[in-house]
Every structure is written in structure tokens, then in C-alpha cells.
Amino acid sequence: MSEFHGSASRRSTPGPNRTPPPATREKGLRHRLAELRGPDVPAKALDARALAALAANPGCARRAILDGAGVDKARLAGALGAPSGFGQSQFALTRGNAFEAKVKADGGAELLRLAHARLDPGAEPPEGAAVPDLTAHGPEGRTARTALALREATRAGGWTLLDHPMLALDVAGSLAFLEPDAVVVHPDGSWSVVEIKSFPLLDGSADPAKVGAAARQAAVYVLALEEVAGRLGAEPRGRAGAEAASAHDGAPAPRVHHRILLVCPKDFSNLPAASAVDIRKQRAVTARQLARLTRIEEIAGTLPEGTCFAPDRSAEELTAAVEAVPATYAPECLSACELAFHCRERSREEGAVTRLGRPLRAELGGLTTVEDVLAAARGERGDPEDPAVAALRRAAALRAEALADAAHPEVAPCP
């Protein structure tokens, strides 16, 4: 930490070679992200689904800066002339909201019954469970209110249902506010995430792809809950008064379960059914990928002055702004990012092999374009000692041999 000497005015102004205090740096980053988003353009909240997709492609600086700045990528894609059909239909959203309301009716009695049966059958039945009020002003206020409710429920014992709590997670230097469907506090003080989806459980199982997407989304919530639990376990004495300090004295951090409750309609009815899903693998992968993300302030620092993604800019200006940030397109982006069609078209123009899939890109090593691959196969470029180049030339030779045999087949003599 830099040391400052002299008057108060001198202490408040960092010298030319001194690092500004964190508050000033954070304020500067927020101002820069607001400039990128555009004047008077509200920030689009970064939800768990977007975070899960971002963690699945940590090398994409374009998505990282757009999500970090709160840019509405759907509007941006439309302004670029490459609108995407990514996202849920209005019918699916309405059906999902109606099913969630049914699951949480009567103070969440049915939801808590399912949590007891699937996650904690050895605990006492959830009769008379608490459902605290989590309303507060703004996401910061709701996050603080959620943390307070979790602390009180953990100390009180018994079952508690938190309906749409607000959690915060630091992502590449920017704070993301997340809102899970529900969090259940068990009588032993442990916490579980609840995901409510509208796709059906048929004969006790669901579409593996949809379950996997739900598990990745829940993993983000678990990571955010673990940060809250860590802060509660590290509270010093006297922070919330003598009574709270004595209650916390020697208490470990609350445990966050790595099995989440997935609630879906049963078969083709509207009756809720549930399954416990182990997300340890998804949690580990998501944590590792989020940790690898380039910090947003570093990406913002590389952009030209005046770069702006406001939707009222011309298509030419927006194209230049988007192209100023490198992207890492892969076919998986089509189901996870609103800018996928735009990035795919650019990837095709550049002849990038990544558009054919990450596994193939990994096999080709330093050959990054289709032109490089074909030239290496023809023997025009590439190091013959490179395993990828050697494999391509061998494949080209086998192909030429097969085509030659097909063009001049041997005619067998008539018997």
C-alpha cells in the first residue's frame, strides 16, 4: 500500500507513480463500463445462465466485456444485422412462471416436502417453516437482506425457505447479482439450492442436456452461496453486537450442499416432482473457468478511446466497436450467446478452424485457419515433424490413393 505524507489534500490525491486506492479504481472502472454501454443506457443484469455460458468459454474477451458492462447483447446483435433466436419463448416463460408459483404455493409447503424427501429425509419434517421477507432497495440492499436472513435462519434451526434471494459473485473484477429460484436452510444449518424448471421428468428422468444446463446454472449459485457462508464463518467478535458474537463464537461456516433440488413437472401433468442432482463436477469446472477469465478492467484498457456499444449507434460504428474486442467462437455459442450468428459469420470469413469445434481445433495445434490446414496437407506449409502436419499429410495421401483406386478399378476376369 502506498504511503502519503503531508496535508489531507495531498493524501487524497495519488502521485503519478502511485496506485490509486481501490475505491477510486472501482469508481473508474464503473465509469468506463458505463461509457462502453452508452450514456443513459441501463445495465443488463448478469444472471446465472449467462455466467455459466461465460464460464464455458473463458477465452472470449468479447463476451466478458459485454456482459461485464451490462450490454444488451440481443439488441446489439439486432443492430449489427445478425439477430439471434437465442432465449426462451414468451409461452415457455409464462408456463415456467405458472409452474413455479404452483410449487411455492402455501408458503412453499410442497417445495419443502420435496426438499425433505430428496435431500434430507433424516431431518424432522418441515412443518411451520419460516419464509422471511427479502424485500429491500436495490440489488445491494437485497443481497445484504439475504445474507442477514441466511445468518438468522442458520442460528435459529428448523426449516427456512428463501424465495428468490439475491446473491453477489465477483466475476473478473465486476460484481454480478444472482437470483436463484429458492434456497432452503436445513435444520442443521446447512444450505441447498433449488432450481425449478418447466421441462418434464418422464418416468423419473429428464432430458440430459437440459439437466446439465440446470446443473451448470446451479453451480454458479452454489459458488455465490459459498462466499456468503465464508463471510458468516469469518465474522469477528463484536461485529454485530455482543449477543451475535457469542452466538458465532467458534461456529464454523455453514455448509453449502453440492446436491441441488431440481423440481420439474411430473410426466405430462403440472404436478411437481423432484430429483437430487450432484453438481460437484459442474461446480469445480465453473470455479476453475471463472478464475481464468481475464479481468474486465484489463480488456477495457485495451479498447480504443470512444468505443461504445450503445444500440443507437450506426451499424458501422457498432461493427467497429465489436471487432475491437477479440472473440473465441465455437459451435456451442449458438445455444448460449446472442452474438453467435455475428461471430460465426466473422469466423467463416476468417476461415478459422474453431468454427468446426473445439476438439478439432485442439488436434490441429498451431494451424488456426482452414487455409493453413489444406496447405499443410498438400505439403506446401508446416513442419513435417509436427504431429498434426504429419497426420494431415498421411490422411491426404490415403485419400489420394483411395480416389485413384476408385477411378481405375481392376476388372476381374469373367469365370
Side-chain angles (χ1 to χ4, degrees):
M1 181 179 295
S2 301
E3 295 182 3
F4 302 99
H5 304 280
S7 65
S9 60
R10 288 182 61 192
R11 288 196 303 268
S12 62
T13 305
N17 297 323
R18 297 186 176 101
T19 302
T24 304
R25 195 160 50 237
E26 181 180 351
K27 182 178 179 181
L29 177 60
R30 287 200 303 267
H31 179 71
R32 177 62 172 145
L33 294 180
E35 289 180 340
L36 292 174
R37 190 169 58 246
D40 303 323
V41 178
K44 181 177 175 58
L46 187 62
D47 59 14
R49 181 178 288 122
L51 272 181
L54 182 59
N57 191 5
C60 187
R62 181 175 297 170
R63 171 149 198 167
I65 192 66
L66 292 175
D67 283 344
V71 175
D72 189 334
K73 297 193 298 298
R75 292 184 63 188
L76 178 60
L80 289 170
S84 171
F86 171 74
Q88 287 184 303
S89 67
Q90 189 60 42
F91 173 74
L93 289 173
T94 302
R95 182 183 59 187
N97 291 336
F99 177 69
E100 181 177 339
K102 180 180 180 65
V103 171
K104 293 179 177 178
D106 299 325
E110 180 64 14
L111 177 56
L112 289 167
R113 185 190 68 80
L114 292 171
H116 175 258
R118 299 298 183 186
L119 298 178
D120 201 357
E124 59 185 32
E127 297 177 359
V131 185
D133 182 12
L134 301 179
T135 57
H137 179 69
E140 293 86 355
R142 291 185 59 198
T143 301
R145 182 69 188 90
T146 296
L148 178 61
L150 284 168
R151 182 176 61 185
E152 292 174 346
T154 302
R155 293 172 178 170
W159 290 91
T160 300
L161 174 64
L162 275 66
D163 185 7
H164 282 289
M166 183 67 74
L167 307 171
L169 183 66
D170 183 272
V171 180
S174 181
L175 205 60
F177 293 98
L178 312 171
E179 187 176 353
D181 293 329
V183 170
V184 170
V185 180
H186 299 248
D188 63 357
S190 57
W191 306 344
S192 292
V193 169
V194 178
E195 275 289 276
I196 302 175
K197 298 297 184 183
S198 58
F199 57 81
L201 280 173
L202 302 175
D203 295 328
S205 61
D207 183 345
K210 294 181 178 179
V211 173
R216 289 190 293 272
Q217 186 174 338
V220 177
Y221 297 138
V222 168
L223 289 171
L225 270 181
E226 288 176 345
E227 289 196 1
V228 178
R231 288 194 295 270
L232 293 184
E235 279 188 345
R237 292 188 181 185
R239 181 174 181 178
E243 182 179 349
S246 61
H248 232 332
D249 191 19
R255 181 166 65 98
V256 181
H257 289 275
H258 290 166
R259 286 201 312 160
I260 63 113
L261 186 71
L262 178 63
V263 184
C264 302
K266 182 179 180 181
D267 297 326
F268 298 101
S269 70
N270 201 34
L271 298 176
S275 176
V277 180
D278 191 325
I279 63 159
R280 283 177 294 182
K281 178 180 178 181
Q282 290 84 356
R283 182 214 163 276
V285 170
T286 302
R288 183 172 64 252
Q289 300 291 55
L290 289 178
R292 290 175 54 198
L293 289 174
T294 305
R295 292 187 62 83
I296 291 174
E297 57 188 334
E298 296 178 8
I299 302 174
T302 64
L303 299 181
E305 196 67 31
T307 300
C308 181
F309 304 102
D312 59 352
R313 298 293 180 97
S314 67
E316 292 76 13
E317 289 178 299
L318 289 176
T319 299
V322 169
E323 295 303 315
V325 192
T328 307
Y329 172 78
E332 294 85 352
C333 296
L334 292 172
S335 62
C337 183
E338 296 88 339
L339 280 178
F341 288 172
H342 173 83
C343 296
R344 181 179 65 176
E345 186 61 30
R346 290 295 184 270
S347 182
R348 286 174 173 172
E349 293 175 359
E350 296 169 359
V353 296
T354 310
R355 65 188 173 90
L356 303 176
R358 291 194 185 97
L360 179 60
R361 171 68 186 87
E363 291 288 339
L364 292 174
L367 304 174
T368 59
T369 67
V370 174
E371 181 182 354
D372 290 339
V373 172
L374 295 178
R378 292 192 295 262
E380 299 171 359
R381 300 181 197 167
D383 182 2
E385 300 298 324
D386 186 336
V389 174
L392 286 169
R393 293 181 180 177
R394 175 60 178 161
L398 291 174
R399 178 178 180 275
E401 182 180 337
L403 291 177
D405 292 343
H408 305 286
E410 295 183 1
V411 180
C414 295

